[in-house]
Amino acid sequence: MQNFTEEIKNEITQNSLKDRGMRLAMLSAFIRTSGSIVSKEGYFGFEIVTENERTAEFFIDMLENDFGLAIFVDGAKFDILSGKDKFAFKCISDKSDALLKELGIVGEDKDGKFLAFGIAELLISKQNNKLAYIEGAFLGGGSCTLPEEGTYSRTGYHFEIVFSNKITATDFCDILCDFEILAKLVSRKDSAVVYVKSKEVISDILSVMSCEKSLERLNKIVEHKDKQNNANRVNNCSISNIDKTVTASVKQVRALEIIAQTVGLQSLEKPLFDVAECRLADKNASMQELAGRLSISKSCLNHRIRKIIEIAQSLGRD
């Protein structure tokens, strides 16, 4: 069964890209997060590595059919560390050089060509292009984990996208802010990670990326976990109340035993004697139950219990 990250990525690749601007934005983000820039014979090109076969096919098709690049496919290679196949492909030519400039990844000035790390404003000037950039970034460096269904798990909700540098990651956070999504940014080894841990924010991101099926699965898990957590809270509350009832009962019975062994229960005023008799008859009853049997309010019962405990304390044995 595919994991949640794969579900999201596969759903993204099924969404339609309306124009060239969206393709450029998505491709630029994808290369930023899963690729490395290489140069040969004065040309800049790229090498891509991804674990998702459908994602690899999606971008190879885009590069060949929409941008006319000749792609060299290395094929699938098993990665020992991740335990998964990784799909690799690359392109280094005059066309890849021109495309990287259009993607805002390679710049050129009077001193020559250089790598640009900020996200080009022209690339994300339209709202749809920003959406495509978010999707492309997730396809290249994104992952999303959810609590396991039907089991206890310490794994919570976590969504992240890994970038190769902090400048791009910071600009990406600004794009998310345009959609009222506030993400955190942290450095991890040589990478910059944009992440969120709130199920509500993850839901917003999936909605922005139009991943309706993935969003539906998230909502089902959230609903199930919320019910499970509520049941646990009710159970814990019940256990806590039982513990309090037992502790209170033990203290009350101990006070009555002291009075019985010293001055005798008959020395108590009738209202207090009635409470003593009722408590000793059922040591496990709650205060609410005792109050009902005595036909008095719970506050009245508490008052009488306090007087009994005070009497026991005055006898110097509690």
Side-chain angles (χ1 to χ4, degrees):
M1 181 180 177
Q2 62 185 2
N3 61 39
F4 193 52
T5 297
E6 291 172 337
E7 285 187 27
I8 298 171
K9 290 185 177 183
N10 291 342
E11 191 167 359
I12 290 174
T13 58
Q14 293 172 3
N15 294 338
S16 61
L17 297 174
K18 298 177 181 178
D19 54 43
R20 180 182 175 85
M22 292 180 67
R23 294 185 183 90
L24 287 170
M26 178 179 281
L27 182 58
S28 180
F30 180 71
I31 293 176
R32 294 277 197 192
T33 50
S34 68
S36 55
I37 305 303
V38 294
S39 61
K40 181 180 180 181
E41 298 176 354
Y43 295 123
F44 277 103
F46 52 84
E47 294 179 344
I48 303 291
V49 177
T50 178
E51 293 179 353
N52 188 284
E53 183 176 6
R54 189 175 297 179
T55 298
E57 293 174 350
F58 176 80
F59 280 102
I60 289 173
D61 180 71
M62 180 189 296
L63 288 164
E64 289 180 338
N65 296 323
D66 295 328
F67 297 104
L69 271 66
I71 302 300
F72 177 77
V73 181
D74 285 338
K77 296 179 181 178
F78 183 75
D79 182 68
I80 297 176
L81 294 177
S82 66
K84 297 180 180 179
D85 286 334
K86 290 198 171 182
F87 303 89
F89 57 93
K90 62 184 178 181
C91 177
I92 308 174
S93 67
D94 57 337
K95 287 188 176 182
S96 66
D97 191 285
L99 179 59
L100 288 172
K101 291 177 184 176
E102 194 173 5
L103 296 175
I105 296 174
V106 171
E108 188 171 11
D109 57 20
K110 59 183 179 61
D111 296 320
K113 299 174 184 176
F114 62 90
L115 293 181
F117 298 105
I119 300 174
E121 287 291 336
L122 185 61
L123 198 67
I124 53 170
S125 59
K126 297 179 180 179
Q127 198 80 340
N128 282 343
N129 294 356
K130 291 179 181 179
L131 293 172
Y133 200 97
I134 295 172
E135 293 173 347
F138 187 82
L139 288 174
S143 63
C144 186
T145 56
L146 304 176
E148 295 180 20
E149 294 180 85
T151 60
Y152 172 77
S153 174
R154 291 188 177 183
T155 303
Y157 301 92
H158 185 87
F159 178 103
E160 71 173 38
I161 298 177
V162 182
F163 291 85
S164 59
N165 69 86
K166 193 172 183 178
I167 297 174
T168 312
T170 301
D171 286 353
F172 183 76
C173 286
D174 291 339
I175 294 176
L176 292 178
C177 281
D178 290 341
F179 296 94
E180 299 183 352
I181 296 171
L182 299 180
K184 294 183 179 180
L185 174 60
V186 65
S187 296
R188 184 189 297 165
K189 296 183 179 179
D190 297 327
S191 303
V193 183
V194 176
Y195 73 95
V196 297
K197 288 183 173 291
S198 161
K199 56 180 180 288
E200 291 82 9
V201 180
I202 293 174
S203 175
D204 290 341
I205 296 174
L206 293 178
S207 179
V208 163
M209 295 192 299
S210 299
C211 295
E212 299 301 329
K213 292 180 180 178
S214 301
L215 181 58
E216 184 178 351
R217 179 180 170 185
L218 170 65
N219 289 337
K220 285 182 179 179
I221 291 177
V222 169
E223 183 181 1
H224 173 76
K225 286 297 177 182
D226 285 348
K227 286 181 179 179
Q228 193 175 53
N229 290 337
N230 287 336
N232 289 338
R233 279 194 289 269
V234 170
N235 185 52
N236 291 338
C237 184
S238 298
I239 292 173
S240 177
N241 288 337
I242 290 171
D243 290 342
K244 289 178 181 178
T245 298
V246 171
T247 300
S249 177
V250 169
K251 186 175 182 179
Q252 294 160 18
V253 171
R254 175 59 180 154
L256 292 172
E257 288 175 347
I258 290 172
I259 295 172
Q261 293 167 8
T262 52
V263 296
L265 294 178
Q266 295 297 332
S267 65
L268 295 173
E269 298 174 2
K270 188 177 186 311
L272 301 186
F273 179 81
D274 291 342
V275 171
E277 192 175 44
C278 194
R279 167 50 79 196
L280 293 175
D282 188 350
K283 296 178 181 180
N284 296 321
S286 68
M287 295 290 282
Q288 189 66 52
E289 290 171 332
L290 288 181
R293 293 169 189 174
L294 292 165
S295 299
I296 60 177
S297 67
K298 190 176 176 181
S299 61
C300 179
L301 175 62
N302 281 326
H303 177 70
R304 294 181 185 181
I305 288 290
R306 280 195 298 271
K307 290 189 68 174
I308 289 172
I309 292 174
E310 288 172 2
I311 291 171
Q313 291 173 341
S314 69
L315 295 173
R317 294 184 56 185
D318 193 37

